[in-house]
Amino acid sequence: MKTELHSDVQQNVNSVANCFTPCSGWRTRGKLFNRGIGMIKSELITRLALANPHLYQRDIERIVNTVFDEISDALQRGDRVELRGFGAFSVKSRPARQGRNPRTGQAVSIAAKRVPFFKTGKELRERLNHKPDQ
Amino acid sequence: MNTVTRAHLCEAVYQEVGLSRNESSALVESILAEICDELVAGHTVKISSFGTFSVREKGGRIGRNPKTGEEVPIAPRRVLSFRASHVLKDHINHAPASGDNDADGTR
């Protein structure tokens, strides 16, 4: 357990050091959110195209876009999207509130809004915490 | 409130591209599998105009059972966080454009 933690931290430090790519990440409450390595939509499409040589890449692109558009549209309607083993998307309502411009200190009223929310599925949560089987 | 499931996504893919239902659902499945594998490897997945899935390392801490007040150790763990893109946020806050009455028919 201890050594595992140590190697994880080490890995984190290394990847933070290596992650000065254009899309390296963001900070929220002082925590670095991502490690600069990963996959973007076009790479997902390329991988699926390699795995499905009988399909045109542009069709795969349409399929991937359809899936995410369908999820966005469902959320817009206020529906919940539940994908077993992956997670569930839902929409939460945030009431209107009085905000403040942090630079000027001026009070600003913020309208009520709806925000998307994702809850990780059980299976994926468990897989995340086991040894990465790459 | 309706719940959209894999079946709805597969149906949408089936309608969009001229593939069989089986193949449509296999593709939806492989999209999710690719994303999961990437996340399990500890990598970030960015889907433009949708959002970013990223894995965060949480340190161990002492938690408390809220019911009994008992202290419980929480081991270091990895959690998945999703950050929606502005496009998605704007889309959600935009009123559905007359599409609210086909909620059941066309999906």
Side-chain angles (χ1 to χ4, degrees), chain B residues 15-63:
Chain B
Q15 305 275 344
E16 177 71 23
V17 190
L19 296 174
S20 72
R21 278 202 162 77
N22 268 339
E23 204 160 16
S24 307
S25 76
L27 269 158
V28 170
E29 215 51 58
S30 50
I31 291 172
L32 296 176
E34 285 288 351
I35 296 176
C36 287
D37 290 350
E38 194 68 14
L39 292 170
V40 169
H43 301 167
T44 297
V45 177
K46 283 173 189 260
I47 306 294
S48 89
S49 77
F50 187 75
T52 306
F53 297 92
S54 58
V55 179
R56 294 178 63 177
E57 312 274 347
K58 304 275 259 185
R61 64 189 165 90
I62 305 285

Side-chain angles (χ1 to χ4, degrees), chain A residues 45-107:
Chain A
I45 292 166
T46 310
R47 284 192 204 182
L48 291 167
L50 289 172
N52 297 278
H54 58 296
L55 297 176
Y56 289 115
Q57 179 146 346
R58 63 159 190 273
D59 283 340
I60 303 225
E61 198 174 334
R62 272 169 69 195
I63 291 167
V64 171
N65 288 332
T66 304
V67 168
F68 291 110
D69 287 349
E70 201 64 19
I71 298 174
S72 325
D73 290 348
L75 294 176
Q76 188 193 37
R77 291 190 300 264
D79 290 353
R80 187 182 142 85
V81 179
E82 194 177 306
L83 302 166
R84 285 286 155 88
F86 183 71
F89 295 91
S90 57
V91 179
K92 290 192 170 183
S93 294
R94 299 264 182 265
R97 64 184 170 91
Q98 201 68 246
R100 226 166 248 289
N101 180 332
R103 197 177 300 171
T104 63
Q106 201 177 10

Side-chain angles (χ1 to χ4, degrees), chain A residues 34-47:
Chain A
N34 81 45
R35 310 154 102 201
I37 32 178
M39 177 170 77
I40 60 174
K41 188 163 78 179
S42 59
E43 288 160 357
L44 172 63
I45 292 166
T46 310
R47 284 192 204 182

Side-chain angles (χ1 to χ4, degrees), chain B residues 1-106:
Chain B
M1 188 182 71
N2 296 307
T3 302
V4 171
T5 59
R6 273 184 171 71
H8 296 110
L9 298 183
C10 298
E11 187 61 26
V13 168
Y14 173 71
Q15 305 275 344
E16 177 71 23
V17 190
L19 296 174
S20 72
R21 278 202 162 77
N22 268 339
E23 204 160 16
S24 307
S25 76
L27 269 158
V28 170
E29 215 51 58
S30 50
I31 291 172
L32 296 176
E34 285 288 351
I35 296 176
C36 287
D37 290 350
E38 194 68 14
L39 292 170
V40 169
H43 301 167
T44 297
V45 177
K46 283 173 189 260
I47 306 294
S48 89
S49 77
F50 187 75
T52 306
F53 297 92
S54 58
V55 179
R56 294 178 63 177
E57 312 274 347
K58 304 275 259 185
R61 64 189 165 90
I62 305 285
R64 220 171 248 285
N65 180 334
K67 202 179 277 180
T68 62
E70 200 182 347
E71 288 193 349
V72 193
I74 298 176
R77 65 204 196 283
R78 298 202 297 172
V79 296
L80 175 55
S81 86
F82 173 68
R83 204 178 130 129
S85 83
H86 281 284
V87 180
L88 178 59
K89 286 184 190 165
D90 291 347
H91 187 63
I92 285 175
N93 282 290
H94 196 269
S98 78
D100 44 352
N101 48 3
D102 63 17
D104 279 314
T106 51

